[in-house]
Amino acid sequence: MEVVVAVAEEGGFTAAAQRLHVVQSAVSSTVRALERELGSQLFERTTHRVALTPAGEAFVPAARAALRAAGEAQAAVHAVRGELRGRVTVGTMQGVWAGLHHALANVRSEHPGLIVRLKQAAVADIRQALREGTVDLAVVALDRQQQKGLITRLLSCEEMVLTASPERVFAAGDMATFDEVGRMPFVDFSPGWAIRYAVDRAFRAAGAERATIFEVNDIMAASELVRHDLGVSIMPASIAARFPDLSVRRFVQHAPAWKVMVVRPRGNASPAVKALLRHITPQAAESLG
């Protein structure tokens, strides 16, 4: 089951072999043996790609659930002895961090036998991974619709601000309006970034449009473009504070809110997830565990 899941997630036999630290022939023979046992082909194989068959599409989610249950059973035994082993995967979106590195470092120190993996991806991919069980816990920025089917806890809420070069002049002095910003060259983040999603939503709420001149996937690149007055950009206040040489302006109205939350699928949390939650925030651990 672990081999089949690896092939499905990695998209090929070679990549799966690298992930599992075995030779490719071992992966191929394992899959063929399982297909003979099941009497069904799990993968369509061509010279260019490997894709799941309908039987494979049915098998993989069940295999993931079985592997997860086996891991939880092992973890439960270790937990009785005060140990945590196994693996927990944390998801997050580009532009969302919320001090997550502190929690990961603390868990590693407290439970050296626990493997903590991090997966950074777009919001749709994180949601899908939570549903499939390939991500156990996520620190993300989601709207109300995206939270359906998940257990959530708010970690932080702050205002998003406009960053600009100190040389750029605004009609309202130290404040900004969406209409005025919409007439300026804009430094945007790539689709899938949490910041981009929040900015899109804010402009829609204000009934304004913006002229995206630069689209980047890096906070430092955005700050450099703004610093040289090539455009303006909207960021959470905590991120803008990393660049004290930039001018920061609040919005007169419709100020976008930046809400970061910790989420997990419904159901009982594993001991590993509970341990990680305790380090992300004690309050979240109580309501999410």
Side-chain angles (χ1 to χ4, degrees), residues 1-10 12 15-17 19-22 26-27 30-31 34 42-43 59-60 62-68 70 74 87 115 117:
M1 288 189 292
E2 187 175 7
V3 169
V4 170
V5 169
V7 174
E9 292 179 352
E10 300 298 332
R19 167 170 152 178
L20 297 171
H21 304 291
V22 298
V27 172
T30 298
V31 172
L34 181 58
L42 300 176
F43 295 99
F59 180 86
V60 168
R64 285 196 185 108
L67 291 169
R68 190 163 56 250
Q74 289 179 319
R87 176 180 298 171
I115 299 172
R117 300 176 62 189

Side-chain angles (χ1 to χ4, degrees), residues 51-102:
L52 287 168
T53 63
E57 293 281 2
F59 180 86
V60 168
R64 285 196 185 108
L67 291 169
R68 190 163 56 250
E72 290 173 359
Q74 289 179 319
V77 172
H78 290 298
V80 171
R81 301 200 302 262
E83 304 173 1
L84 275 184
R85 296 185 180 274
R87 176 180 298 171
V88 60
T89 301
V90 182
T92 190
M93 301 158 62
Q94 294 95 331
V96 175
W97 199 239
L100 188 56
H101 56 292
H102 295 302

Side-chain angles (χ1 to χ4, degrees), residues 90 100 137-142 150-156 260-264 273 276-277 280-281 283-285 287-288:
V90 182
L100 188 56
L137 180 75
V139 176
V140 290
L142 302 178
L150 300 171
I151 299 176
T152 68
R153 174 76 184 206
L154 186 66
L155 290 180
S156 64
V260 176
M261 60 198 70
V262 58
V263 303
R264 71 169 183 84
V273 168
L276 187 55
L277 283 170
I280 293 176
T281 170
Q283 292 78 17
S287 59
L288 286 161

Side-chain angles (χ1 to χ4, degrees), residues 2 61 66 129 136 184 193 259:
E2 187 175 7
D136 303 294
M184 297 178 178
W193 271 61
K259 296 180 180 180

